[in-house]
Amino acid sequence: MEIERHEYDVVVIGAGGAGLRAAIEARQQGKRTAIVCKSLFGKAHTVMAEGGAAAAMGNVNSDDNWMVHFRDTMRGGKFLNNWRMAELHAKEAPDRVWELEAWGALFDRTKDGKISQRNFGGHEYPRLAHVGDRTGLELIRTLQQRVVALQQEDYEQHGDYEAYIKVFAECTVTRLLKDGDRISGAFGYWRESGSFVVLDAPAVVLATGGIGKSYVVTSNSWEYTGDGHALALLAGADLINMEFIQFHPTGMVWPPSVRGILVTESVRGDGGVLRNSAGERFMFNYIPEVFKDKYATTEEEADRWYTDQANNRRPPELLPRDEVARAINAEVKAGRGSPQGGVFLDVSTRLPAEEIRRRLPSMHHQFKELADVDITAEPMQVGPTCHYIMGGVEVDADTGAAAVPGLFAAGEVSGGMHGSNRLGGNSLSDLLVFGRRAGAGAAAYVDALPARPKIGQEQLDEAREEALAPLQRTGENPYEVHHELQRTMNELVGIIRKAEEVAEALEVVEKLKERVRLVGAAGSRIYNPGWHLALDLRNMILVSECVARAALLREESRGGHTRDDFPGMNPEWRRKLLVCSTADGSSITVEEKVQPAMRDDLITLFDRDELKKYLTDEEMSEFDGISK
Ligand code: FAD
């Protein structure tokens, strides 16, 4: 059986914001670059991003700057973030947004013609550069346009549009290949024909996004099966922060066929409020101690904030997502939910209909079409939905390099930047900042390489056999195994966790591993979704085990990890990262690793009183030494 082969300097797996920005950088640095994506080109997850990209440009409030953004990001992540990533992100995000504009992005404007910025949970000032509620679409459109512009340059110079940058769309990577300890390429299959393809390359950038399809209720689409996370693990890299999963507070709850689809935070940023079945604006009852001085305690003050931010505190509907999701969960559990098991999100009584249609066109359309609800006239029903994973490949902050030489990662598949909880809007900017850095890191790595690594035939045979195996079996049904995994993760390792339940989930995962070994797919290799799912299951199982094992070990509640049996944040745990790896390609080991202490000039950006809420006594005395 012939296997198609291609040679590149850098292979980027994923064509969302992170992948495209990485590929553009690698190509700009003269590297022959392949972009591989399992969905259609242009249909990455990034397209779905609604609210905007966070960047401290100070266009709407000139008090904003990178230091305020850095502080907000660290607070949002409950101080567990990789602080170097948070620093680079806050400093470089404005340049990345301006660069997008220079490449043709059409952002909404302020009255004086600057890029407009909107409010979002956890951001002290209006900070999200946006295009209505379709920012991700514009971001992808612009980056694709940039790819095409580079291809046109290449045509003029080399007579071939694809001389330096080629897109392999609807092509799924199932294995990373290595020469000794170094990356030497990637193995995959074409979705349509099922035939195999090998990309020889000394550097691979993973930009495959998240893992949401391991959960039943999710805002994520079909391609979020944790492939990049699993590919990295199987290649010998480490994953960190896997216990931290963001349940977005506002997913649709009705009708059942659309359960989980996102209702953007912009609804709350633009004035929408949350109410329970008694009509109470309940978020005032859920302001945690660490945020007490920053959020309004009365409806009057909260409402004044929308027009006068200098003299009022923010509405509690704009607390970080983990706080709002837990509050909604608690209201529903206490019997104060909406008829279909969510709570009410109302913008209809807060803004004129015309304004709602202008600011939130996609939401208006989404509810009208999918739920027959007119959001200009009635409230929406919403509830938490699995949205984003903070955990991912452990990378060097400056270059995106993973522990395996030649492997890089950027975007949602990487870990560290967002700590235990990501602020809304910080992903799109993360993709641009770290996509660029990973592309540059990969290019520099290739330049420094003395010789090109080779791909051994044995590895190719193994990858081929592994991919073909489900077609040669008639055992377990992949859809049933998938559903069992999703249900288990949703119910036992969901928004609120308990040791017994997580342990039970791990037992189920062990049994599912056995079943995955028997999963079969009827039919041929030609466009066969059952076969594709059978292959994705390996990844979802590996990633789910990481999430559950880390969740069981972390005996505290922080950000996207809430333990019913350990409800508080424990400063001792803030210093610890849980690092997942696999030695045999099947079972996961988790080890503790202590985070490096924050650089002095960064930690002194915070007030002592605030740090006291997060740091140990020992860390506080070190801080007192520095700040003297
Ligand atoms: P993606 O954009 O998901 O791209 C992943 C790519 O990898 C795809 O091309 C996919 O086909 C490919 N891929 C995956 N596996 C394989 C494989 N095995 N082989 C080949 N290719 C593969 N964030 C914000 O900052 N602001 C927002 O307003 C916002 N709104 C959001 C709204 C929704 C509904 C959702 C779901 C998320 C939102 N987010 C937002 C989060 C943000 O959109 C994502 O975190 C981000 O887009 C991820 O980008 P990425 O480049 O890492 O991956």
Side-chain angles (χ1 to χ4, degrees):
M1 197 184 304
E2 270 292 294
I3 299 186
E4 181 185 333
R5 282 185 88 139
H6 303 270
E7 248 188 54
Y8 287 93
D9 298 321
V10 177
V11 168
V12 178
I13 308 178
L20 288 177
R21 189 60 192 85
I24 289 168
E25 196 60 25
R27 152 62 184 79
Q28 287 182 163
Q29 307 225 3
K31 298 290 162 280
R32 284 177 309 127
T33 305
I35 304 172
V36 192
C37 52
K38 87 189 213 184
S39 43
L40 288 167
F41 193 49
K43 194 347 236 122
H45 229 78
T46 304
V47 170
M48 291 157 76
E50 294 156 354
M57 298 187 286
N59 289 354
V60 174
N61 189 324
S62 58
D63 287 340
D64 202 11
N65 59 47
W66 78 263
M67 288 171 283
V68 189
H69 193 181
F70 171 75
R71 279 198 294 261
D72 287 346
T73 300
M74 294 298 298
R75 278 177 196 134
K78 305 278 178 353
F79 280 73
L80 188 128
N81 318 51
N82 176 319
W83 48 262
R84 173 65 178 157
M85 289 176 101
E87 177 196 11
L88 290 170
H89 169 258
K91 283 182 173 165
E92 295 178 7
D95 282 346
R96 298 285 74 77
V97 171
W98 284 315
E99 172 182 75
L100 268 194
E101 189 180 46
W103 290 346
L106 295 168
F107 289 102
D108 288 0
R109 321 302 297 184
T110 60
K111 284 201 177 78
D112 52 354
K114 294 180 187 157
I115 293 175
S116 175
Q117 300 191 267
R118 67 158 46 116
N119 291 307
F120 238 56
H123 293 281
E124 187 159 346
Y125 298 116
R127 191 176 281 148
L128 268 67
H130 59 275
V131 185
D133 55 5
R134 295 178 180 139
T135 314
L137 178 64
E138 182 67 355
L139 189 145
I140 288 290
R141 187 196 66 74
T142 306
L143 293 176
Q144 285 190 330
Q145 186 174 303
R146 178 75 189 146
V147 167
V148 171
L150 291 169
Q151 288 179 320
Q152 283 168 342
E153 273 176 27
D154 291 339
Y155 181 76
E156 274 174 25
Q157 239 185 320
H158 309 285
D160 177 5
Y161 288 108
E162 294 177 332
Y164 273 79
I165 189 160
K166 180 172 160 79
V167 179
F168 293 74
E170 296 207 88
C171 182
T172 305
V173 172
T174 57
R175 274 276 168 186
L176 297 180
L177 305 167
K178 283 169 74 180
D179 182 357
D181 67 342
R182 292 182 180 279
I183 287 293
S184 58
F187 177 95
Y189 65 88
W190 293 105
R191 286 178 69 75
E192 196 176 334
S193 62
S195 57
F196 296 128
V197 53
V198 171
L199 299 155
D200 276 75
V204 167
V205 180
L206 292 171
T208 49
I211 65 137
K213 278 295 166 191
S214 294
Y215 285 80
V216 182
V217 181
T218 178
S219 64
N220 295 178
S221 62
W222 66 270
E223 71 260 52
Y224 262 25
T225 49
D227 294 7
H229 290 79
L231 289 169
L233 272 178
L234 294 170
D238 295 329
L239 305 185
I240 54 167
N241 296 354
M242 292 300 286
E243 64 276 36
F244 298 115
I245 293 196
Q246 182 168 87
F247 290 85
H248 194 291
T250 59
M252 291 178 82
V253 294
W254 188 259
S257 58
V258 298
R259 188 146 185 224
I261 291 187
L262 196 74
V263 179
T264 176
E265 193 168 319
S266 319
V267 177
R268 283 170 287 133
D270 288 351
V273 291
L274 291 163
R275 294 188 194 280
N276 60 20
S277 54
E280 186 193 6
R281 237 177 115 175
F282 59 84
M283 278 310 301
F284 290 97
N285 307 331
Y286 292 93
I287 305 172
E289 205 46 50
V290 288
F291 291 122
K292 274 255 150 71
D293 50 340
K294 297 212 154 22
Y295 286 82
T297 41
T298 64
E299 291 197 25
E300 294 70 31
E301 182 183 358
D303 286 347
R304 283 196 306 268
W305 178 86
Y306 287 100
T307 45
D308 177 9
Q309 292 173 10
N311 297 307
N312 296 288
R313 290 171 300 173
R314 311 162 61 74
E317 280 88 359
L318 293 179
L319 274 158
R321 290 174 175 174
D322 53 329
E323 309 292 354
V324 184
R326 274 193 297 269
I328 294 176
N329 201 58
E331 286 296 303
V332 174
K333 260 197 165 163
R336 294 187 290 269
S338 65
Q340 265 85 29
V343 294
F344 296 105
L345 171 60
D346 183 27
V347 72
S348 66
T349 56
R350 313 268 305 166
L351 289 176
E354 204 35 56
E355 193 63 8
I356 295 171
R357 275 192 289 268
R358 190 181 67 78
R359 290 202 210 182
L360 302 164
S362 300
M363 282 306 107
H364 183 253
H365 180 81
Q366 177 174 313
F367 272 88
K368 195 81 207 112
E369 292 300 312
L370 301 178
D372 197 23
V373 166
D374 177 359
I375 68 167
T376 66
E378 52 191 315
M380 303 160 237
Q381 290 187 60
V382 295
T385 177
C386 174
H387 184 58
Y388 183 91
I389 181 148
M390 273 66 73
V393 184
E394 186 174 29
V395 291
D396 172 60
D398 290 67
T399 60
V404 177
L407 186 62
F408 298 78
E412 193 169 339
V413 70
S414 67
M417 158 69 205
H418 306 284
S420 67
N421 175 47
R422 173 179 71 88
L423 293 187
N426 267 2
S427 173
L428 291 190
S429 39
D430 162 1
L431 310 180
L432 297 170
V433 168
F434 294 105
R436 177 183 151 274
R437 283 186 164 270
Y445 170 84
V446 173
D447 284 339
L449 211 54
R452 243 185 117 87
K454 294 190 173 50
I455 296 176
Q457 187 58 41
E458 205 179 312
Q459 275 191 61
L460 287 188
D461 293 342
E462 273 174 27
R464 199 174 135 271
E465 269 165 43
E466 180 186 46
L468 289 175
L471 291 167
Q472 288 150 2
R473 297 187 290 243
T474 48
E476 291 278 356
N477 178 325
Y479 294 95
E480 280 171 16
V481 175
H482 185 205
H483 189 68
E484 173 93 26
L485 177 70
Q486 288 185 311
R487 203 182 47 74
T488 304
M489 292 305 285
N490 228 85
E491 286 172 12
L492 304 177
V493 202
I495 186 165
I496 310 284
R497 298 155 179 184
K498 294 187 178 92
E500 317 83 80
E501 290 184 355
V502 180
E504 191 187 330
L506 280 164
E507 281 171 27
V508 178
V509 166
E510 273 316 304
K511 290 191 188 122
L512 289 177
K513 272 187 203 171
E514 286 307 312
R515 290 178 64 188
V516 167
R517 286 189 193 110
L518 304 174
V519 154
S524 76
R525 284 160 69 181
I526 294 171
Y527 208 93
N528 183 343
W531 178 41
H532 304 160
L533 178 61
L535 295 176
D536 292 345
L537 278 171
R538 176 201 69 189
N539 304 334
M540 286 188 273
I541 292 276
L542 275 171
V543 165
S544 299
E545 184 171 344
C546 290
V547 173
R549 287 211 179 280
L552 188 58
L553 279 181
R554 184 171 287 274
E555 294 185 331
E556 65 156 354
S557 293
R558 181 184 297 273
H561 171 67
T562 304
R563 283 283 297 261
D564 209 31
D565 40 359
F566 295 94
M569 215 168 14
N570 177 347
E572 294 293 339
W573 270 104
R574 189 194 72 83
R575 316 180 71 169
K576 293 181 200 164
L577 294 180
L578 295 176
V579 184
C580 300
S581 60
T582 178
D584 61 4
S586 162
S587 47
I588 299 293
T589 312
V590 187
E591 280 172 26
E592 285 180 14
K593 177 171 159 181
V594 177
Q595 288 248 53
M598 206 189 290
R599 236 179 35 230
D600 294 357
D601 58 311
L602 294 177
I603 194 138
T604 46
L605 292 174
F606 295 92
D607 287 343
R608 188 176 197 286
D609 282 350
E610 176 165 26
L611 289 176
K612 254 186 351 201
K613 299 170 188 165
Y614 298 98
L615 270 50
T616 59
D617 292 345
E618 192 190 330
E619 288 170 314
M620 283 311 294
S621 51
E622 279 168 28
F623 172 77
D624 290 335
I626 305 162
S627 56
K628 264 185 196 136

